[in-house]
Amino acid sequence: MTTTTSLLSTALRLAEQGMPVMPLREGKGPMGNCRACRKNVCGGRRNMKTPGTCACAAPCHAWAAATTDPDVLTSPAWADAWRQAQAVAYHPGGAGLTVVDLDNADAVAWARQTLPTTKTVPTTRGEHWIYRGTLRSVNGVRPGVDLKSTMSYAQWRGPGTGAMVALPEVVRALAVKQPSVVRLKPGIVTATAPAGGGECRHRSPAYLERGIAMAEQRIKEAPDTIHKTVYRTFLAVLSVHGRCGCLTDAHIKRLFTAAQAKGESLRNCEDAWTNARTTLGM
Ligand SMILES: [Zn+2]
Ligand SMILES: [Zn+2]
């Protein structure tokens, strides 16, 4: 079997298991965008961070091209890419997975001390530790450690060994940009944003902004049942924006400020926030 057909057959096998796959070129990067999509002039694909209308048949736009569709994978538009391919990659987020990419021996040693045992796959200098569940992909969360899940790809390096377990909190915490702690008054640790990790449903800062502004407005107009309004509003905001990791300290602070302006105590705000998160299992 030539490399091309063996890579394609690996890709088709993975696709059948529900993993969106794509070819990697020499140097193990994604294929470059085609002429029509160069520099994203096409606007990008609909599954990208800024959803576009590109329906290009070629494997363009890096991870966003990854697919489970065997007809696409074996289409003439992909044939050239498979001929040049040096490896197969998969889109972990699209398969409901997170790859903790440990680049070197130190990173692997850290993982062995810190992370729950799961399925592991050896790489050139390190290991991939694979968990069930998705989160925001972040490179360099620690020296030699990348998180690859949504909007990302990882090279397929074989099935690995060990039983896959659910994404642990310790890994989710690594994906959170800054410690999401709101300090409205000195010394008082208050609310935190959920770590996120789900697919982002709002997909635009404007949508999130509108949601927060509406929530502020709702609290501002609340009648004397302020406790209930605050709780319900937090619940609404968290249910729409809580899972993708886009909520920041600043958003929470705005909600708390709106509630406090109506006489709600900081303590009640914190409780309402915590209760809303508990209700939603975040
Ligand atoms: Zn395009
Ligand atoms: Zn294209």
Side-chain angles (χ1 to χ4, degrees):
M1 215 162 32
T2 66
T3 312
T4 298
T5 50
S6 85
L7 290 177
L8 180 54
S9 65
T10 299
L12 289 167
R13 188 164 42 79
L14 297 175
E16 208 173 83
Q17 296 164 21
M19 289 172 130
V21 283
M22 61 190 230
L24 293 182
R25 59 174 166 73
E26 199 178 346
K28 309 296 161 64
M31 297 292 157
N33 282 4
C34 68
R35 196 176 295 272
C37 297
R38 201 164 286 169
K39 293 190 176 157
N40 234 23
V41 289
C42 59
R45 289 191 200 268
R46 61 199 74 231
N47 59 342
M48 291 167 69
K49 188 168 187 180
T50 308
T53 53
C54 174
C56 181
C60 317
H61 303 292
W63 68 270
T67 178
T68 56
D69 186 339
D71 292 341
V72 173
L73 293 169
T74 56
S75 68
W78 283 53
D80 202 41
W82 285 120
R83 265 193 297 278
Q84 298 170 42
Q86 297 293 312
V88 174
Y90 62 106
H91 168 37
L97 305 175
T98 293
V99 176
V100 180
D101 184 4
L102 307 158
D103 276 344
N104 53 49
D106 285 350
V108 172
W110 165 82
R112 289 194 180 135
Q113 275 175 11
T114 318
L115 305 184
T117 309
T118 189
K119 180 190 282 294
T120 65
V121 188
T123 62
T124 313
R125 287 182 304 275
E127 289 178 7
H128 283 173
W129 285 36
I130 306 173
Y131 291 98
R132 203 168 40 245
T134 61
L135 46 64
R136 193 169 64 90
S137 299
V138 192
N139 285 335
V141 290
R142 287 182 49 84
V145 182
D146 297 337
L147 304 179
K148 295 168 184 283
S149 184
T150 61
M151 298 197 281
S152 173
Y153 68 90
Q155 188 182 338
W156 172 255
R157 295 177 177 273
T161 51
M164 196 185 299
V165 302
L167 195 55
E169 205 48 50
V170 56
V171 175
R172 287 194 183 280
L174 290 171
V176 179
K177 235 184 244 156
Q178 306 109 1
S180 296
V181 175
V182 179
R183 290 173 199 277
L184 293 176
K185 289 176 186 169
I188 303 173
V189 176
T190 60
T192 57
E199 288 296 336
C200 182
R201 287 193 291 162
H202 51 79
R203 290 175 187 275
S204 81
Y207 182 66
L208 175 60
E209 172 57 36
R210 212 154 48 233
I212 299 291
M214 268 164 54
E216 284 177 312
Q217 189 64 23
R218 213 172 307 150
I219 293 168
K220 210 166 123 192
E221 289 167 357
D224 37 17
T225 55
I226 181 71
H227 290 341
K228 210 179 251 176
T229 305
V230 165
Y231 169 72
R232 281 192 188 150
T233 309
F234 289 179
L235 196 65
V237 168
L238 278 163
S239 67
V240 180
H241 301 290
R243 294 211 188 266
C244 51
C246 296
L247 275 182
T248 64
D249 297 358
H251 296 128
I252 301 170
K253 185 167 180 178
R254 278 168 58 187
L255 298 176
F256 279 29
T257 303
Q260 286 176 286
K262 292 288 287 187
E264 188 73 320
S265 71
L266 175 58
R267 178 66 196 276
N268 281 339
C269 289
E270 291 180 64
D271 287 349
W273 187 261
T274 306
N275 291 343
R277 285 191 59 170
T278 307
T279 303
L280 294 166
M282 289 176 183

